Amino acid sequence: MLDFNDPIAISQTKNTPEELRAAVRAKIAERDDAIEKIKTQLAAADMRRQERRGRLDADWYHKARTAMRHLQRERAELIAVAAGLPDPRAELKDRIIALARTYFDPADWEVIVEQAQTFGKEERN
């Protein structure tokens, strides 16, 4: 489970969205590395088991799988945090629209919006 005292927690951060997005990506990469290490250890243990025709240590195997599940859940939580971050392209689009709107009177702006709404629809039909 994520430690929400961690500096990347949204409610605890004073970072910009870009810094937060980079921190979340770094945490996801850390979780991915840890998951891959566990998978490698499981595969190596299985190869040793096959070589000696024995059994795996059931307690160790259970602990490794449990650790991997926890890491996978944390990774999913981080992905959900990343998905909830504002999209920088949407922010730019909103600023462009706000600026462009100042150049047109309300009637002309309505015409532009109507044309924009039908612009893509005509090509798809």
Side-chain angles (χ1 to χ4, degrees), residues 17-82:
E18 294 81 22
E19 292 172 334
L20 185 56
R21 188 174 285 105
V24 169
R25 276 196 302 264
K27 291 287 185 181
I28 290 171
E30 287 175 15
R31 297 311 184 270
D32 286 344
D33 288 345
I35 290 167
E36 287 305 313
K37 286 177 184 175
I38 292 172
K39 287 180 179 180
T40 300
Q41 290 174 359
L42 288 168
D46 189 46
M47 287 173 31
R48 285 191 302 271
R49 177 198 62 80
Q50 290 176 19
E51 183 180 278
R52 69 176 194 279
R53 301 186 197 292
R55 293 182 149 180
L56 278 177
D57 178 0
D59 289 335
W60 174 85
Y61 180 81
H62 175 69
K63 287 178 185 177
R65 294 288 299 175
T66 300
M68 192 165 63
R69 278 194 306 276
H70 287 295
L71 289 167
Q72 288 169 334
R73 188 183 69 244
E74 287 179 7
R75 183 182 190 281
E77 290 174 5
L78 286 165
I79 289 171
V81 167

Side-chain angles (χ1 to χ4, degrees), residues 8-21:
I8 68 160
I10 290 176
S11 62
Q12 306 273 325
T13 189
K14 294 183 173 98
N15 296 335
T16 65
E18 294 81 22
E19 292 172 334
L20 185 56
R21 188 174 285 105

